[in-house]
């Protein structure tokens, strides 16, 4: 059977089943006695196993089968649900997600899961949890050769042949596990030095993680290699320990007995899988046939179809060209004053406007697709930090343009990690402050006008005003005189400054001391804005404001020195014509009194280095009042042209760093207009 035609469906449905497993596992941890939840997880895992077997992905089917055995033991009351057991099942789901991701990237979906399988087998048999190699190495330094401990790496037939031949030639085989110090800065360099020493002593035949991952530092502090050598274990350990920042070395002998046991276990698993596979294939094929029959008999009830996102992108690009031509047609109609042409143009504008709304709605995706991965992440981080934390999600059904969804995930991860690490206190500290020992982090999303707001609120310690100001003064961000008059909100937003971090200890949890400026830059590159409200001792609220779409936007066209520029309507409060005599000077900055607020003026001619940058001499100035959060500014222009919907085009890689310009558009007359980035002009 040709399975390639079903690959895309397999990948998508596998992700859905794995997401369902994650969600139900989190529920099971809260309600360990609810066997109904276990049945839901089992059902998803069983379906995934059958699909994988049908598609020929034996590794996924085998790992899912091992996970099924544990779930079956739980629902038959053979074992009791504990956090430690769920940790192993969560890890199995993580591995399955990685294998499906590998398949979607064109890989084979294979992964070394031998340690995880040992843990699952041990749990199923009631023997408890087997610590992975990393945990064992942390508890010991060097084991004697010939220890009864099992080998931790898995070897294929080729590896076993090589090891067997080396035994005949007088070589010994060792597994060497090296653990680096937690504060090691150049892990790849230390790995290279270890490999260089070992390669002089013998031949490395295997490493976990792989060499590529070691070179890219895609591992924690520990790695394991298999070495063929004629040297003694003690000598190897002594040589490796001389490498700087190596904390511990474990050397284990690989014997013929180990290889025989490993091979026997693989053969038993293969026989067991072969005995079950035909049934699974038959069941799944039968389900596919029955599903096909049902779909043929009830096509009239089917209201949804799956559409490749690339097709929507192509449709959007074609419509963007149509919008440009629509603007051109409107321009021609206004010049010719032909009633029939004008009427036709207006009708086309209305119809294309409806079409535009439909296409934009097709591209809208619930933020739930991003939010879904956070509950498991919060659970894992809370355990690492020894904190008790509850994550509440509100408004997950709120929709955003796919382009924005693709970019917003990483900033939200950083904000949540920051809240868990720096915001929520330890249970002991919370109890001492009279708070519940379990901290609460609330993630909410909602629409407001042409924007979507995403808020992250915690009931933790809040921003420490004195600590932040001391760091800001030390970094030269503010002066001591300025610091005295700053509001709590202004102080809180200092943590968004470039390179700012109050972390006393570098942590993998909240960005390794990089700070939140990366989050701010990403959000502002999307045309959004981030603000912070914090009360020391009570908690913090991070609010992210994002545009609904980045494709077609409404702008105000203005003229500056006979050139046309576009200012996004989402940033504009209003336009005004003021008298030159109303302009005042404060702290070497031109300002105006706008409805009781002192608003700084920004002369766009000066910003863009235009030859004639002086203000108009006729006694009046055209000003566009724009806003970024609670801050405002007045942009001085020559004249207002009018409002128009335009297609946002990128300036390309070569011009991506141009100050105060976020993109360009093509107007109806064929002229190119630059789009002003208001966020970068408001300080």
């Amino acid at each position: 059977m040709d399975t390639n035609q079903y690959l895309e469906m397999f990948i998508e449905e596998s992700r859905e089943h794995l997401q369902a497993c994650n969600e139900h596992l989190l529920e099971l941890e809260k309600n360990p006695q609810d066997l109904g939840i276990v049945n839901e997880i089992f059902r998803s895992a069983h379906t995934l196993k059958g699909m994988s077997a049908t598609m020929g992905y034996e590794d996924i089917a085998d790992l899912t089968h091992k996970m099924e055995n544990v779930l079956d033991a739980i629902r038959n009351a053979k074992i009791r649900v504990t956090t430690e057991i769920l940790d192993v099942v969560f890890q199995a789901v993580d591995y399955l997600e990685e294998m499906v991701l590998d398949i979607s990237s064109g890989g084979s979906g294979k992964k070394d899961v031998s340690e995880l399988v040992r843990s699952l087998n041990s749990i199923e048999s009631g023997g408890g949890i087997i610590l992975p190699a990393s945990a064992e190495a942390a508890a010991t330094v060097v084991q004697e050769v010939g220890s009864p401990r099992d080998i931790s790496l898995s070897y294929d037939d080729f590896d076993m042949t090589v090891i067997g031949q080396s035994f005949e030639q007088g070589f010994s085989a060792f597994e060497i596990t090296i653990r680096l110090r937690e504060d090691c800065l150049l892990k790849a360099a230390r790995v290279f030095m270890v490999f260089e020493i070992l390669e002089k002593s013998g031949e490395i035949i295997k490493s976990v993680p792989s060499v590529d991952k070691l070179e890219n530092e895609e591992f924690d502090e520990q790695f394991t290699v298999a070495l063929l050598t004629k040297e003694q274990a003690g000598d190897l350990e002594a040589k490796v320990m001389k490498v700087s920042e190596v904390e511990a070395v474990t050397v284990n002998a690989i014997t013929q007995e180990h290889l025989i046991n490993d091979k026997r276990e693989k053969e038993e698993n293969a026989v067991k899988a072969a005995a079950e596979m035909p049934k699974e294939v038959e069941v799944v094929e039968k389900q596919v046939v029955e599903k096909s029959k049902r779909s043929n008999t009830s096509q009239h009830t089917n209201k949804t179809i799956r559409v490749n996102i690339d097709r929507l992108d192509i449709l959007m690009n074609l419509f963007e060209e149509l919008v440009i031509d629509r603007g051109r047609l409107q321009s021609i109609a206004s010049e010719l004053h032909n009633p029939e042409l004008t009427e036709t143009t207006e009708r086309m504008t209305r119809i294309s406007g409806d079409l535009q709304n439909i296409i934009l709605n097709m591209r809208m995706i619930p933020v739930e697709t991003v939010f879904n991965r956070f509950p498991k992440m919060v659970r894992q981080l809370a355990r690492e930090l020894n904190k008790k934390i509850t994550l509440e999600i509100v408004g997950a059904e709120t929709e955003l343009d796919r382009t924005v969804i693709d970019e917003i995930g990483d900033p939200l991860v950083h904000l949540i990690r920051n809240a868990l690490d720096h915001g929520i206190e330890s249970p002991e500290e919370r109890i001492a402050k009279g708070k519940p020992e379990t901290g609460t982090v609330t993630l909410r999303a909602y629409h407001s006008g042409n924007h979507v707001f995403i808020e992250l609120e915690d009931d933790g310690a809040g921003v420490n005003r004195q600590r932040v100001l001391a760091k800001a003064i030390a970094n030269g961000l503010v002066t001591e005189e300025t610091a005295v008059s700053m509001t709590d909100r202004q102080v809180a937003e200092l943590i968004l400054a470039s390179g700012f971090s109050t972390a006393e200890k570098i942590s993998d949890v909240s960005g390794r001391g990089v700070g939140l400026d990366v989050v701010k830059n990403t959000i502002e590159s999307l045309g959004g804005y981030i603000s912070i409200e914090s009360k020391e001792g009570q908690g913090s609220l991070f609010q992210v404001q994002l545009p609904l779409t980045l494709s077609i936007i409404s702008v105000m066209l203005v003229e500056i020195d006979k050139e046309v520029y576009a200012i996004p309507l989402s940033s504009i409060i209003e336009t005004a014509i003021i008298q030159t005599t109303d302009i005042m000077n404060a702290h070497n900055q031109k300002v105006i009194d706008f409805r009781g607020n002192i608003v700084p003026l920004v002369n766009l001619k000066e910003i863009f280095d235009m030859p004639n940058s002086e203000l108009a001499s006729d006694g009046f100035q055209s000003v566009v009042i724009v806003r970024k959060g609670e801050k405002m500014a007045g942009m001085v222009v020559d004249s207002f042209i009018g409002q128009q919907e335009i297609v946002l085009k990128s300036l390309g890689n070569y011009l991506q760093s141009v100050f105060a310009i976020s993109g360009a558009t093509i107007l109806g007359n064929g002229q190119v207009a630059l789009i002003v980035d208001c966020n970068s002009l408001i300080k």
Side-chain angles (χ1 to χ4, degrees):
M1 182 179 70
D2 181 16
T3 58
N4 288 330
Q5 58 183 319
Y6 303 116
L7 182 60
E8 190 172 331
M9 184 185 299
F10 165 76
I11 292 170
E12 191 162 345
E13 292 192 4
S14 296
R15 287 172 174 165
E16 290 174 2
H17 287 303
L18 290 170
Q19 180 60 39
C21 286
N22 277 323
E23 292 172 2
H24 288 123
L25 283 168
L26 290 167
E27 290 179 25
L28 182 62
E29 188 169 34
K30 297 175 184 175
N31 306 288
Q33 305 302 323
D34 191 342
L35 294 181
I37 300 174
V38 181
N39 288 330
E40 290 293 331
I41 303 169
F42 188 90
R43 192 175 296 115
S44 294
H46 189 76
T47 305
L48 176 61
K49 182 179 77 170
M51 288 166 41
S52 305
T54 304
M55 294 294 292
Y57 297 116
E58 308 293 347
D59 287 23
I60 294 180
D62 187 50
L63 179 56
T64 313
H65 177 70
K66 300 294 184 186
M67 189 174 80
E68 259 188 351
N69 291 343
V70 172
L71 295 170
D72 192 49
I74 291 173
R75 68 179 184 174
N76 291 323
K78 293 180 180 177
I79 57 176
R80 186 172 56 86
V81 176
T82 65
T83 302
E84 290 71 24
I85 288 176
L86 288 180
D87 282 342
V88 177
V89 180
F90 268 121
Q91 188 181 7
V93 175
D94 287 343
Y95 277 24
L96 289 169
E97 287 177 338
E98 291 175 17
M99 293 159 88
V100 171
L101 180 63
D102 182 55
I103 292 170
S104 68
S105 303
S108 62
K110 293 186 179 296
K111 184 177 178 66
D112 182 8
V113 295
S114 55
E115 287 187 4
L116 179 60
V117 167
R118 284 172 55 212
S119 289
L120 291 170
N121 288 338
S122 177
I123 292 170
E124 181 199 355
S125 62
I129 298 168
I130 298 176
L131 291 174
S134 57
E136 291 179 1
T140 185
V141 179
V142 179
Q143 296 185 357
E144 293 182 2
V145 181
S147 164
R149 175 187 173 278
D150 288 336
I151 57 175
S152 61
L153 299 185
S154 179
Y155 300 95
D156 56 28
D157 291 340
F158 177 78
D159 293 333
M160 291 183 182
T161 302
V162 171
I163 295 172
Q165 291 176 350
S166 70
F167 287 159
E168 295 173 2
Q169 297 172 16
F171 284 82
S172 299
F174 296 101
E175 274 187 7
I176 305 174
T177 300
I178 298 97
R179 180 155 56 90
L180 303 176
R181 282 168 36 188
E182 288 185 1
D183 59 350
C184 177
L185 298 177
L186 299 172
K187 293 196 290 186
R190 302 307 173 205
V191 170
F192 174 79
M193 294 170 71
V194 170
F195 269 57
E196 191 175 40
I197 289 172
L198 293 179
E199 284 173 345
K200 289 179 180 178
S201 303
E203 181 182 354
I204 297 174
I205 61 170
K206 194 178 187 70
S207 71
V208 174
S210 65
V211 174
D212 289 341
K213 289 187 177 181
L214 291 173
E215 289 177 349
N216 295 326
E217 297 191 353
E218 294 176 6
F219 67 104
D220 294 326
E221 287 83 36
Q222 182 170 293
F223 59 98
T224 302
V225 298
L227 179 73
L228 303 179
T229 181
K230 290 187 176 181
E231 294 190 14
Q232 299 299 312
D235 296 336
L236 295 172
E237 186 265 335
K239 288 182 179 181
V240 176
M241 282 300 295
K242 289 184 178 179
V243 176
S244 176
E245 296 183 304
V246 169
E247 190 170 77
V249 178
T250 305
V251 182
N252 292 301
I254 304 172
T255 65
Q256 197 72 42
E257 182 184 357
H258 286 141
L259 298 180
I260 293 171
N261 291 338
D262 193 38
K263 187 174 183 179
R264 183 184 299 122
E265 183 181 348
K266 285 187 175 180
E267 289 174 350
E268 289 173 355
N269 291 339
V271 170
K272 190 174 181 181
E276 295 176 356
M277 205 63 73
K279 296 179 182 178
E280 293 299 330
V281 174
E282 183 181 343
V283 169
V284 173
E285 288 185 344
K286 186 175 180 181
Q287 288 175 347
V288 171
V289 172
E290 290 177 353
K291 188 174 181 180
S292 177
K293 288 179 180 177
R294 288 197 302 271
S295 64
N296 288 335
T297 57
S298 59
Q299 284 183 351
H300 61 282
T301 63
N302 189 12
K303 298 288 182 72
T304 61
I305 59 171
R306 294 183 188 271
V307 179
N308 191 309
I309 196 68
D310 292 337
R311 295 185 180 181
L312 291 181
D313 288 340
I314 293 170
L315 180 62
M316 192 67 198
N317 290 335
L318 290 173
F319 185 75
E320 288 174 354
E321 296 301 320
L322 184 61
V323 170
I324 294 172
D325 290 338
R326 181 181 70 185
R328 175 64 176 151
L329 194 58
Q330 289 171 332
S331 177
I332 293 172
S334 64
E335 292 173 2
L336 296 179
H337 302 290
N338 184 304
E340 291 184 1
L341 177 60
T342 301
E343 182 182 348
T344 304
T345 303
E346 289 175 352
R347 177 172 171 75
M348 178 187 169
T349 301
R350 286 195 302 273
I351 294 173
S352 61
D354 293 340
L355 180 60
Q356 174 180 323
N357 290 333
I358 292 172
I359 293 175
L360 289 177
N361 285 333
M362 287 169 63
R363 289 174 54 86
M364 301 295 269
I365 302 175
V367 293
E368 181 181 23
T369 56
V370 178
F371 287 5
N372 276 346
R373 58 174 157 156
F374 295 145
K376 185 172 76 169
M377 184 186 84
V378 169
R379 173 193 179 274
Q380 291 172 338
L381 291 177
R383 284 177 58 76
E384 289 177 20
L385 297 168
N386 294 319
K387 296 180 180 180
K388 295 183 178 180
I389 301 170
T390 299
L391 175 66
E392 297 178 355
I393 294 179
V394 181
E397 71 283 353
T398 306
E399 292 185 331
L400 255 176
D401 188 276
R402 170 185 163 265
T403 310
V404 183
I405 288 282
D406 289 344
E407 299 292 335
I408 197 60
D410 288 342
L412 288 179
V413 167
H414 198 114
L415 288 177
I416 291 174
R417 285 173 171 264
N418 186 73
L420 268 57
D421 194 13
H422 298 304
I424 302 294
E425 312 96 329
S426 66
E428 296 78 18
E429 291 176 11
R430 292 181 65 84
I431 292 172
K433 292 178 180 179
K435 294 182 178 181
E437 65 173 353
T438 301
T440 301
V441 176
T442 304
L443 183 62
R444 68 175 68 89
Y446 58 90
H447 280 127
S448 179
N450 289 324
H451 293 89
V452 168
F453 288 84
I454 298 176
E455 295 179 345
L456 183 73
E457 186 175 10
D458 68 71
D459 63 350
V463 175
N464 187 315
R465 179 185 175 93
Q466 297 304 322
R467 189 172 163 195
V468 169
L469 283 176
K471 189 77 173 182
I473 293 170
N475 289 358
L477 294 174
V478 296
T479 62
E480 293 187 15
E481 294 77 16
T482 308
V484 175
S485 60
M486 292 181 72
T487 64
D488 287 345
R489 182 167 189 153
Q490 289 172 327
V491 172
E493 292 187 356
L494 283 174
I495 67 176
L496 298 172
S498 178
F500 188 94
S501 175
T502 58
E504 295 175 354
K505 181 181 178 183
I506 288 177
S507 164
D508 283 332
V509 174
S510 55
R512 298 189 60 81
V514 172
L516 293 173
D517 60 304
V518 176
V519 175
K520 178 185 176 186
N521 294 339
T522 302
I523 290 170
E524 291 188 352
S525 70
L526 296 171
Y529 173 71
I530 180 171
S531 62
I532 306 173
E533 292 181 15
S534 180
K535 291 185 178 179
E536 192 168 345
Q538 297 182 31
S540 303
L541 171 66
F542 289 78
Q543 186 182 72
V544 176
Q545 174 185 315
L546 294 164
L548 275 175
T549 178
L550 297 179
S551 305
I552 298 174
I553 60 174
S554 296
V555 297
M556 167 70 74
L557 296 178
V558 298
E559 187 176 52
I560 307 171
D561 199 22
K562 299 181 181 180
E563 295 286 343
V564 178
Y565 288 81
I567 302 175
L569 279 182
S570 58
S571 298
I572 298 177
I573 301 175
E574 65 176 275
T575 58
I577 296 177
I578 63 171
Q579 293 185 350
T580 306
T581 54
D582 290 338
I583 299 175
M584 301 171 285
N585 283 293
H587 302 292
N588 297 320
Q589 167 75 55
K590 288 184 170 60
V591 298
I592 58 171
D593 185 349
F594 176 73
R595 305 191 189 283
N597 294 315
I598 300 300
V599 176
L601 285 183
V602 178
N603 187 348
L604 291 180
K605 288 184 178 180
E606 291 181 356
I607 296 294
F608 298 136
D609 291 329
M610 294 180 175
N612 182 20
S613 61
E614 296 297 322
L615 296 177
S617 57
D618 58 1
F620 294 93
Q621 308 295 332
S622 300
V623 178
V624 181
I625 308 296
V626 294
R627 177 169 57 191
K628 172 186 174 183
E630 293 187 348
K631 299 176 183 177
M632 294 189 293
M635 296 185 181
V636 181
V637 300
D638 288 346
S639 62
F640 310 125
I641 298 175
Q643 179 181 336
Q644 187 173 322
E645 283 191 332
I646 56 99
V647 177
L648 178 61
K649 296 287 187 182
S650 169
L651 293 176
N653 294 331
Y654 184 67
L655 297 173
Q656 65 180 354
S657 59
V658 176
F659 177 69
I661 297 295
S662 60
T665 188
I666 302 173
L667 303 176
N669 59 6
Q671 184 179 355
V672 174
L674 297 177
I675 300 169
V676 179
D677 180 8
C678 300
N679 285 343
S680 64
L681 293 173
I682 303 176
K683 303 298 182 184

